[in-house]
Amino acid sequence: MGGVFSSSHKSHKEKKSTPAQSGSVTNIDRSVLDLKNSRDRLTRYKTKLDKDNEKLFTRAKTLNTEGKKSAALNLLKLRKYKIKEAE
């Protein structure tokens, strides 16, 4: 009885015919897809750099409290280098 009110039962309505698509990808479509993929890769890379940045900073902090100041400074230099490379 619930089938009477369902939206999938459309025997009395005529479906609109859609034009057949050729299936080929145009140069514009390919360019748009490439731009979107590049944007997505860049955002993933930036989030990865942010996580790495935080890890390096916390590791440098712990090394500094342990008394290994030179190792902490090296990690901070590496962090600075990665930030500079991201820009």
Side-chain angles (χ1 to χ4, degrees), residues 21-27 29-30:
Q21 294 180 355
S22 63
S24 64
V25 178
T26 64
N27 289 335
D29 292 338
R30 176 63 60 192

Side-chain angles (χ1 to χ4, degrees), residues 39-83:
R39 179 198 61 202
D40 293 343
R41 261 188 272 124
L42 184 63
T43 55
R44 282 194 306 265
Y45 181 68
K46 283 192 178 248
T47 56
K48 181 184 177 293
L49 281 179
D50 289 341
K51 287 179 184 177
D52 289 346
N53 186 13
E54 290 298 319
K55 285 181 183 179
L56 286 173
F57 186 71
T58 56
R59 181 69 180 141
K61 235 183 198 182
T62 56
L63 285 174
N64 192 26
T65 56
E66 291 173 358
K68 300 177 182 178
K69 192 170 186 174
S70 63
L73 286 175
N74 286 336
L75 283 177
L76 290 175
K77 286 179 186 177
L78 177 65
R79 177 178 174 244
K80 186 176 180 180
Y81 173 75
K82 284 188 175 188
I83 291 172

